[in-house]
Amino acid sequence: MSLALYRRYRPETFAEVIGQEHVTGPLQQALRNNRVNHAYLFSGPRGCGKTTSARILARCLNCEQGPTPTPCGECLSCVDLARGGPGSIDVIEIDAASHGGVDDTRDLREKAFFAPASSRYKIYIIDEAHMVSTAGFNALLKVVEEPPEHLKFIFATTEPEKVIGTIRSRTHHYPFRLVPPGTLRDYLAEVCGRESIQVEDSVYPLVVRAGAGSVRDSMSVMDQLLAGADERGVTYAMATALLGYTDAALLDEIVDAFATHDGATVFGIVDRVIEGGHDPRRFVADLLERLRDLVILAAVPDAGEKGLIDAPADRVAVMDEQARRFGSAELSRAADIVNTGLTEMRGATSPRLQLELICARVMLPAAFADETSWQARLEKLERRAVVGGPALATAPMAAPTATAPMPAAPVVAPPAQAEPAVPAPAQAPAPAPVQTAPAAGGRAPGSWPVSPSFVGAPAPSPAAPPATAPAPAPAAPAPVAGDGGGINATQVRQFWPQVLDAVKGRRRVTWMLLQQAQVAGFDNGALQLAFEHAGTRDGFVNGGHDEILRQALQDAVGVSWKVECLIGPAGSAPQRPSGAPARGRPARGGPYNHLRAHETPEHPGRPLRPENNNEPRL
């Protein structure tokens, strides 16, 4: 009968111990300096090498060439304490779980004063030391405090806080840690290579995850897989079926369904999980692990190369593509919901119902009013705008022209195509810009021109050279009167990034909403912002975000301005386009002042036309 895998490959020297360099290094140096203490306390999680390191330390102390950090492996003591050896009479291992009483401690104390039979030191390795009773520790205290020169104590425990303080204070405490996943994976691959059994690369992350950082637990799981391997070796399908993990293909399907909000696919997968006999809690735990990987990939695109994700390169490529279909807020929200649901599933009477509710919450960000849900919805709108492009850009242009004739919308395109062909006049008359303002609705000089989609008017005729504004005019807008003291929109845009940083420090949702807004102008102490959609403008005003912006202006620039919100298309130019007539919102006090929430002009602004143009006005 073969030995267990963790017994066959138990380390025999400190160099073979993996993941505990912070312990093995100082111990080896203490052996070199001949400054070995009389008592040690090794603590840490199970299966991380405490008892093994205690045996190696005893081997180093009793080696004929020692004390040495590298035992020779040939002397009688080294052979007795080697892997599979008979053991040494001078190295006594005691299981404190069954020998932790006062009587056991008294017996140990009486035998401890006898000299070793054939070794340099008599060494007591007390395993599970936290199981020793308080009376037993007190009975052992005197001999641990002042032992004879030939006596050494090594306590190993998973709960060092249960060892009484008087014992701990007389020992050198070395805390062991869980082995990192990358180190453990390489070690398992080396062991499987020695066993000459083929193992797929995708199996190692499953074994490491099942072992949870414990070398002994991981070796036990791998031993079980190797025992059931056939001529093909250990396959991924075999490992997932035996360990109970969810197949990666099933996780890919549900993540893709979350991205497209395909409820039929999501609940179909839930039915397959239940009907297939899988544990819903394990499925939710695996889904949370996948979302964790996607969150890291969204934040660190090269996480696979940096080792932040333990998966083969092909799996990392698939998950990277999935992460791009989500936003960071969506992934974070989904992970929070799944994590909360996993906690609620403990002790639940209907795990399937809990799983279905988790999936429903992930796909319905609009049903929640928290900040993360708002960010998820905003990210979805931004992705649609990027994917939709021109189709979505024309949507806000059609809304204000509901009362206008239908041919008005298609007329927007010709000026952009015909404008380059129109020869600009050599020099426009100086009063021209002043005379065109009343015709465009009474716009005050220096105010920001709003896009044609804001007023819903048809574009001007290409043959309108008199209406062409001078080229240098937008570069030097006239100062705006008000408590801004000569501040204009161009100057506001220069320090606008500082204002956005101040807003981001106060509230991130307000900062995200401002990414969809542009500085439209400055008039009489009021900063005018143009939003693409009326819904975004209403949410900005009704949510109190204008007050946050006002406070950020006070912090960043030291001014106290009002904030007025207008409607304008995304991507509008920050200055008036060349060759386009002056149009925008009317001057303050006009019939269409500011176009605030839910206000639509009955008659949009009228473009200027040449006097010989016989086309009827709208």
Side-chain angles (χ1 to χ4, degrees):
M1 183 180 296
S2 62
L3 287 174
L5 205 61
Y6 68 87
R7 293 182 61 187
R8 277 206 307 274
Y9 294 96
R10 185 189 293 271
E12 294 185 328
T13 62
F14 283 124
E16 297 179 5
V17 179
I18 62 171
Q20 309 298 337
E21 290 77 10
H22 63 287
V23 172
T24 58
L27 284 177
Q28 288 177 294
Q29 191 61 38
L31 289 166
R32 294 189 190 97
N33 299 335
N34 197 20
R35 297 180 63 89
V36 180
N37 196 42
H38 64 276
Y40 288 92
L41 175 61
F42 293 167
S43 66
R46 69 176 189 272
C48 59
K50 300 183 296 297
T51 306
T52 299
S53 297
R55 294 177 182 176
I56 295 174
L57 180 58
R59 203 165 176 237
C60 294
L61 290 173
N62 285 337
C63 179
E64 290 183 358
Q65 301 179 7
T68 174
T70 56
C72 64
E74 298 177 357
C75 64
L76 179 62
S77 176
C78 290
V79 173
D80 291 342
L81 295 176
R83 183 191 309 131
S88 174
I89 193 174
D90 296 323
V91 178
I92 303 99
E93 288 193 36
I94 299 176
D95 180 16
S98 57
H99 298 81
V102 177
D103 296 335
D104 300 305
T105 305
R106 288 174 180 171
D107 182 63
L108 183 152
R109 187 177 58 184
E110 293 174 358
K111 296 179 180 179
F113 287 94
F114 291 100
S118 59
S119 302
R120 183 179 295 107
Y121 295 104
K122 176 178 283 189
I123 302 172
Y124 281 94
I125 300 175
I126 303 177
D127 204 3
E128 305 297 333
H130 61 277
M131 299 297 291
V132 179
S133 63
T134 303
F137 272 131
N138 289 327
L140 193 63
L141 177 60
K142 195 62 179 176
V143 69
V144 172
E145 182 180 8
E146 298 178 0
E149 293 184 359
H150 64 268
L151 190 60
K152 302 290 183 183
F153 285 97
I154 304 176
F155 298 92
T157 177
T158 57
E159 302 178 30
E161 65 278 358
K162 291 186 178 180
V163 178
I164 62 176
T166 51
I167 293 291
R168 289 205 309 268
S169 64
R170 289 160 174 81
T171 62
H172 286 184
H173 183 194
Y174 287 92
F176 285 66
R177 303 169 186 167
L178 294 174
V179 180
T183 304
L184 190 53
R185 173 178 176 155
D186 295 340
Y187 181 71
L188 292 174
E190 179 184 352
V191 169
C192 292
R194 294 182 187 178
E195 293 293 317
S196 301
I197 298 179
Q198 184 178 2
V199 179
E200 293 183 1
D201 291 340
S202 55
V203 173
Y204 294 116
L206 300 180
V207 177
V208 171
R209 181 179 172 188
S214 170
V215 181
R216 184 175 62 234
D217 294 357
S218 300
M219 294 286 280
S220 298
V221 173
M222 182 58 74
D223 196 8
Q224 182 180 2
L225 294 176
L226 294 180
D230 53 13
E231 64 277 359
R232 296 177 300 172
V234 181
T235 62
Y236 178 80
M238 169 190 171
T240 54
L242 186 60
L243 300 179
Y245 288 117
T246 307
D247 192 356
L250 199 61
L251 294 176
D252 291 339
E253 290 183 31
I254 195 168
V255 169
D256 293 339
F258 282 154
T260 58
H261 287 259
D262 187 357
T265 302
V266 169
F267 292 107
I269 293 174
V270 172
D271 184 70
R272 287 163 54 189
V273 170
I274 301 300
E275 294 299 328
H278 297 284
D279 184 9
R281 296 175 184 83
R282 174 56 65 88
F283 176 77
V284 175
D286 294 341
L287 178 59
L288 181 60
E289 185 77 14
R290 170 60 63 87
L291 291 174
R292 172 259 180 195
D293 294 341
L294 296 182
V295 168
I296 293 180
L297 279 172
V300 186
D302 56 345
E305 301 175 0
K306 293 183 177 181
L308 299 178
I309 296 178
D310 187 14
D314 56 342
R315 294 302 312 158
V316 173
V318 172
M319 289 188 291
D320 187 36
E321 184 64 27
Q322 291 174 345
R324 294 178 183 177
R325 303 177 64 183
F326 291 90
S328 58
E330 285 183 280
L331 288 173
S332 177
R333 175 181 173 274
D336 288 340
I337 291 175
V338 173
N339 183 43
T340 304
L342 181 60
T343 305
E344 294 174 352
M345 290 181 74
R346 296 173 183 171
T349 57
S350 179
R352 173 171 184 164
L353 178 59
Q354 292 289 337
L355 177 55
E356 291 173 342
L357 291 177
I358 291 171
C359 296
R361 294 191 192 106
V362 171
M363 292 190 300
L364 290 176
F368 301 89
D370 57 292
E371 182 174 341
T372 307
S373 299
W374 274 101
Q375 293 177 354
R377 296 170 67 184
L378 288 173
E379 288 178 347
K380 189 185 304 181
L381 291 174
E382 291 174 355
R383 286 200 309 276
R384 288 180 180 177
V386 172
V387 175
L392 290 178
T394 56
M397 299 171 62
T401 59
T403 58
M406 293 301 295
V411 187
V412 178
Q417 302 173 357
E419 185 177 352
V422 178
Q427 187 62 257
V434 180
Q435 295 176 0
T436 57
R443 179 176 57 83
S447 62
W448 178 251
V450 185
S451 174
S453 63
F454 172 70
V455 296
S461 173
T468 303
V480 180
D483 61 357
I487 294 295
N488 54 35
T490 303
Q491 295 172 341
V492 172
R493 293 189 202 98
Q494 293 177 356
F495 58 77
W496 186 244
Q498 304 176 12
V499 178
L500 290 180
D501 292 340
V503 171
K504 187 176 181 180
R506 285 183 168 270
R507 191 173 183 187
R508 192 175 181 85
V509 174
T510 307
W511 174 78
M512 295 182 65
L513 290 172
L514 285 175
Q515 304 304 314
Q516 307 181 41
Q518 296 182 356
V519 177
F522 185 85
D523 190 11
N524 293 335
L527 176 63
Q528 300 167 350
L529 298 179
F531 288 85
E532 178 183 359
H533 302 289
T536 308
R537 189 269 310 270
D538 296 343
F540 187 85
V541 176
N542 298 334
H545 301 284
D546 52 350
E547 178 62 21
I548 295 176
L549 175 58
R550 190 189 67 78
Q551 296 173 3
L553 285 168
Q554 181 71 29
D555 296 343
V557 192
V559 296
S560 180
W561 292 344
K562 296 183 295 182
V563 178
E564 296 182 354
C565 301
L566 313 177
I567 301 177
S572 59
Q575 296 181 355
R576 184 186 308 168
S578 176
R583 60 180 70 193
R585 68 167 185 85
R588 296 179 63 88
Y592 317 124
N593 186 20
H594 301 303
L595 285 179
R596 299 184 184 277
H598 308 296
E599 294 180 4
T600 305
E602 294 294 331
H603 303 287
R606 299 177 174 84
L608 294 178
R609 291 179 173 82
E611 296 180 358
N612 59 353
N613 190 353
N614 296 325
E615 182 180 354
R617 292 177 176 268
L618 296 180

